[in-house]
Structures are given as C-alpha cells and as structure tokens.
Amino acid sequence: MCNLLDSPWQSARVANRDSDAGWRNAVAEVGVGSLLLDADQFQDLVVDLPTQKPAIFRQLLLPIVVAALGRPANAAAWTAMFQAGAFSPEQREALTAYLDKHRHLFNLFDPVQPFAQVAGLHTAKGETKGSALLVATAATGNNVPLFSSRSEGDPLELTPGQAARWLLHTHCWDTAAIKTGAVGDPRVKGGKTTGNPVGPLGQLGVVMPVGRTVYETLVLNIPFGQPLLSDDLPQWQRRTTDGKVEETLSCATPAWQTRASRGLLDLWTWQSRRIRLIPEETAAGVRVTRVIVAAGDRLETTPDHETHTAWITDSTASRAKKAGGAASAVRPRRHQPGRAAWRGLEALLALDRAGDQRDATATRPGFHTSVLLGRLGEVRERMSQAYPLQVELTGIAYGNQSAVIEDIFFDEIPLPLTALNPDGIVYGSLLTAVDQAEKLAGAVNNLSADLRRAAGTDPIPWDKGQRPGDTLLHALDPLVRRLMVGLRRVGEDFDQSEQGLEAWEHQAGRATWKVAEQVLSTAAPGVFTGRSVTKDGKEHVYRLSTAERGFRDRMDAILPRRAAQRKSA
C-alpha cells in the first residue's frame, strides 16, 4: 500500500548548500512528510510536466501546511515565518502531529478511503479505461498530441508515484466535455455525463511565486490575513467526520454537486473529478494501467479568494452590456501560448496604489494582480530588496470544445520585489521597457506592411503567418529578462535605473535594426519607385525611401534615450 506521506514518490532537487557540483545537482526521492518537515533542505520539485508543480502544491503541500499551522495572521507574522527560513521546532511538532493524525487518509490504494479517489467507483458495465487518460501528454481518445510515439492501444504502466502525480494533475487540469457515467451518480444519462468544465486551474492563467527553497515557495504561496472558516477543510478531512461520511461535504461518493468554494483549503483541494486508480501486480512491481475518470464537483464561479491568478476587470458599462448589469466585475486572466510572460507585466504589476483601492465596483477596465503578488507588495519593504523572486506562469490551451489539450504554457521571470511598488522607479522602468518592446515590434510590422503595399501586395494579416515583429520579440526576450535581473540589483536608484534603461534601448535598437535590415533586404525591386494608393478619398504614396524614413522616425520616438545620445554624438 502506497502512503504518500512515507513512500518516496516525489523527486526533489536538494538545495545548494555546498560548492561540490554533484551535491548541488542531487535529486532525492522523498515522501510528503520528509519534503515538508525538511522543506528548507530542498530547492524545488522535479516533475514530469510543468503543470504538475502547481497541482502538487495546491492539492497536497500547501493545504497540509495551512491545515496544520493555520494562516499567518498579518504581515508581521508572515514576514517572521518567511525570514525564519525553516519550520520552527513548534511548527515541526504541529506538522508531525497533523500528519500522524491523518496518515490513514493518504494511502493511494486504500480499499475504503483511497487518497483523492472514490473507493469502488465503477460503471454499470464494469468498463475501465487506460491510464493514459490521466496523462496530459499521452494519446487517448481525441486527445492525440502532435508527434506522439504512443497510440491509445499501447498500454501505459504508471508507477505509484507517477499515478499520484497525474491523479493530482487531473483534478486541476482535466479536459472538459463527456465523462464516464458512474453507478451512484443520479445525473448519469446513457452511461455518460455531459457539460463538464475543465479542471479549475485550466480556467486560469496560473501565477505562482517561487523562492530559493521549497520552504520559501510554500510561504510565498500562503496569503496572510483572514483566518480559516470552520467548514473550510481539505478534501481528505471532508471525507469523514468522527469516522462517518458527511454526506453534505463528502467527495468520496460518485455523486457530485455544483457549489461555491468554502474557502482556501476547499478551493486548493477541489475534487473536479471522481477517480479510481486500479493497481495491479506486475513483474516490475505495483503498476496502474487502468482507471475510471467520472464527473466531479463544479465551481459556481472562480472565487475572489483564488490565489494563483491575475484578473481582468471589466468596466461597469461593459458588464451591463454583457449581462444586464449582473456580470462579474472580475474574471481570471489566462496566458496566451507563444507569448512570453514578461509581455503580461501590465497585469502582474496591476497593484493597488495608496488611496486607490480597487474593488468589484471598479468603473474602469484593466487588470488586477494575483492575491499572492498583492500580498508581497504589502510586505516588500520588510524583505531584502535583492531577494531573487521568481514567478512561474503555467496554463493549458484547450481545443475542440475544451475536450483536447492543444498547447501547454510555461514561463518564469525574475521579478524584482521593488517592481511591486506601483509608485517606485523599478515599476515604471519595467513597464516602460515592455511598452517599448511592443511598440518596436509594431514599428517593424508597419515597415513590412509599407514595403508590401509599395510592391502591390497586402500586408501580412495579424492572425496568419509570422510577421517580423514576432521575430523581433523573440530576439528581445533575453534582453528584457537581463534588464529585470539588473533592476533587481540596483533597486530604487534613479541614476542606475536610467543607465539600465539606456543600455536596454541601445541593445533593443540594435536588435530591431537587425530584423529591419532583413525586411529591407527582401523587398521587391519595384518598391524603389513605389506606387500610389487611394484610400478614403486620399492618395497615399508607398515607396522604399518613405517606408524607411518613417521607420527611423518611429524608432526615435520609441527609444528617446538612444535617439538623444545618437543625435548628441
């Protein structure tokens, strides 16, 4: 029997505490108990797919810590916990007591209360499906990844550790549409359930702050403030009350319900599917080759206490137009595959200014940062300004009515803590650089469009083909990340920040001209003389010389520091 608290099922990278390269790169296989109690000894989790990481933290690690220790009461308590760097003896004792008390609820193959599953889950005809149904990268049904070397007919044997990771991943990210109808579910029709949404994380663009150790990552992802409600429990505690199934809270039966989240622990451990892993003995040991995945609980709406997403705020007029004034003021912001994370800094850094508290009645459209980054903004002055905060962004793009996985998004950026001050120098510098990058891409696209018009062809549509601006943004990516690391080092020093922006503009200008020269070199011979186009009663002349001159003017307007230095030289 695999108990997740004791069995070494999760890989973790040992924290760098020695100059020896072998120790620095060591990976250990650990159970949840060791991983939590010695969280300061591990740098990070090692996972099969980036989307597994937030699933493991939300479905298992974070709720155990919060259920055992509670949430920090205020900013001072949170800061003290973070600066400690490791769990105190008292906290370790509380964690140990909690794990001992609930140890029996973490058995992966328990016949009565299997972890995150429904014991005895079955269909009317006793059908099961291959374990590939759990694995986002495996071919199953209509979900066939491009260039997959495995077909649905190939059996996939999962070790208990792999099965546990994909089990948690399925609860968070599973595809939508039709699910297997289980006996005991009154909503089953024809052996199926329909209308199932994707897993709760699939409806978000996950934003997760990451520290230097697993301990720091845990604390960074626990918001301080509001205490836990009495009925806000992780899913393993909601399965029994004094040894009896609590029908109104149980997630251990085939029946499911649509309801609101009761709080943070309920939300983190949301059981969006009813699942049963079917283990079998093989020559290699216990393996999971067959599973049942049925419909699970559905969230009425993404609650405002969701910690791991930024938000889009609609204006009052927009909400009234959409739903007669009854639409939600905010909705989760999802990531766009193929778009670097730093291009979304406007949303990540959409923090409250003093005297500018945002709420659900906001009258202007825009963004609002995640709960966790907002809390970090409140405590930034209590932390080292040079702290190497990383922010990981994960998401999944679904296709064909959200029934298949089309793409997986993962990126991480080195976010300076000083950038979380909306009135600070670093904040303004970063948003300036991001805005310049987008405008430079637009300038290169305009150059290409003008040359194509001069040749008598139409510009490349924005949603078809690859435009030169996309090539430029790819070239600017390492420059923006280097600027972010540099601004972390200089802090709120105006002169050094200006020097950083000046260096950025020169490097960005060189990268832009390199792409522009490629565009100019491929121009058709006829663009030298150009042609006239009448549009809206006005005559426009498109030729090589005017296109290049207009591009130079746009570059000077976008990069004023570079232009000023070039003119003075």
Side-chain angles (χ1 to χ4, degrees), residues 86 409 462:
F409 179 95
W462 69 269

Side-chain angles (χ1 to χ4, degrees), residues 273-300:
R273 298 292 180 262
R274 299 293 190 255
I275 302 174
R276 178 188 164 203
L277 304 177
I278 303 174
E280 63 177 273
E281 286 287 348
T282 70
V286 176
R287 294 292 185 268
V288 175
T289 59
R290 308 297 296 177
V291 299
I292 298 174
V293 179
D297 293 340
R298 303 176 186 180
L299 278 167
E300 289 179 351

